[in-house]
Structures are given as structure tokens and as C-alpha cells.
Amino acid sequence: MTPELARDRIIETEALAARYGHVQALQPTDMHVGEGELVAVLGPNGAGKSTLLRALVGLTVSTGMVRFRGAPLPRGNAVAVAARGVVLVPEGRGVFGPMTVAENLELGAYRLNDRSEFERRLDRVLGLFPRLKERMSQTAGSLSGGEQQMLAVGRALMAEPKVLLLDEPSLGLAPRVVSGILETLGSLNRAGLSVLLVEQKAPLALELANRAYLLSTGRVVAEVDPREIKSHDDLAQYYFA
Ligand SMILES: Nc1ncnc2c1ncn2[C@@H]1O[C@H](COP(=O)(O)OP(=O)(O)O)[C@@H](O)[C@H]1O
Ligand SMILES: [Mg+2]
């Protein structure tokens, strides 16, 4: 690969692999997200989607390589990875239930010392998610599932990520709520944010994605152009080929 092409990839893996004891949850995997791309990773339960994201950000012990804008990312150090701008919205949202919405958002920007920059980021997040603005002093645990997902995304955005990784943001949410959140992700992406979106709900993710990887039993079984997937059957053929 030429250095020019390497720079076009905001994040890429080379033979990234992870195991839990005897379970090889992620086979050596090469994948990437281009600058400004929205890439979906689709696959059934247990396919290794969460393991891939956790390995990318250093929350799971892994082998192989992760590069960010061509340079190796620190391994096994999620804090250092987040400081580079690679930020994960985890499966199950990971908001701090007993803390208020405002406190959760503040935590997203805990490395920031600049008050006016903090206010600027907060205004932007609350502009994207006005529901959170009305609930700033409520505990995160008292929010609905959809609001908690907004908070999880909002908290990640407070860190001003360069690439946002999302682990099944639609899980357990009503379709209308999901489409609102995905629309917001789409508009963030159109404004320049690179996104890696893990989903089981393929049609929703494919509507937004520039490209998609299909993961099955820890392996990328196909890379697809979302425009070529018209039906569930089109997708199924990759799994049963
Ligand atoms: N902490 C863990 N300990 C042991 N096995 C795990 C652990 N987490 C996940 N696995 C196994 O690794 C495989 C991939 O899991 P995961 O990455 O969570 O898949 P997905 O997110 O696609 O549902 C599954 O077989 C799962 O049972
Ligand atoms: Mg998962």
C-alpha cells in the first residue's frame, strides 16, 4: 500500500485477533474505516462484533495491529486510545446511572481544562439531543432507554472523537427511537465524523453505511456495498455461501 492510501484510512487493523481462553472470538482480521466514512459491521449474536470493537480500543487483550492515521495505536490502554480520538459507545450504553445527565456529559470531557471549549461542546451536544437539555439534573438511571443511548453518544461526543465506534446502539429500543438516533449519527457523519457502527439490525445500518463488513463466527465473511443489498435474502447469501 502506498503511504498516500495509508493516510486515507483513519483506522485500520492488520491481523487483529482476540481469544477468551479457548474461544477464538476474533480470527485475524483486516478491516478499515476511511476518513469521513461510515462503516457498518453486521453479524449475528456471538459473531465477535463487540470483541472487534473492544480490541480496537484496547479493552480486550488482542494480537495483531491497529493503526490510527497510519501510526500504531497504543495497545491495551483504552485511556490513551481515547485520548487519540478513538472513542467507543459500548454495548448497553455504559452510562453512570446514579450520576446526573450533566455529570455524565462532563465525564466525557474530563481531560479538558478549557471552560469555554467545554461550553461549546456541551452546546453542540445539547443541540443534537435537546431531550438531554431538559433532563440535565436527572440521574442517568431515570432516563428511558432511548435517552440513555442519546446520553451515551453525547458523552462520547464531549471527547470530540475523530472516529466514533458504536456497539449496537439500537439494542432494546423502539424503532422510532432508533431511527432518530441513527439519523443523528448520519448527520454527524455528513459533517465529517468517521463512524464504525456495529449492528444486528442490518437494514437500518445499511441505509447509513458507505461500506459494510459481515462478521460470522469471528471472521469477516464479506465486505459489501450497501447499495447492492436490496433484501434480507441478498444478505443471507453471504452467510450461507
Ligand atoms: N468475556 C468473555 N469470556 C468468554 N467468552 C466470551 C466473552 N465475551 C465474549 N465471548 C465469546 O466470544 C464470542 C464473540 O462474542 P462477542 O464479541 O460478544 O459477539 P457479538 O458482539 O457479535 O455478539 C462469543 O462466542 C462469545 O460467547
Ligand atoms: Mg456484542
Side-chain angles (χ1 to χ4, degrees), residues 57-76:
V57 300
L59 282 172
T60 287
V61 176
S62 60
T63 56
M65 174 74 94
V66 182
R67 285 196 199 82
F68 175 72
R69 292 183 169 156
L73 266 185
R75 304 305 303 279

Side-chain angles (χ1 to χ4, degrees), residues 45 49-50 91 167-168 198:
N45 204 14
K49 304 181 300 297
S50 295
E91 194 170 43
D167 197 348
E168 299 205 44
V198 160

Side-chain angles (χ1 to χ4, degrees), residues 70-97:
L73 266 185
R75 304 305 303 279
N77 185 343
V79 173
V81 169
R84 296 279 182 93
V86 181
V87 176
L88 173 66
V89 179
E91 194 170 43
R93 341 229 190 269
V95 298
F96 298 104

Side-chain angles (χ1 to χ4, degrees), residues 3 10 30 35 48 127 186 232:
I10 188 159
D30 295 353
E35 295 276 0
H232 190 74

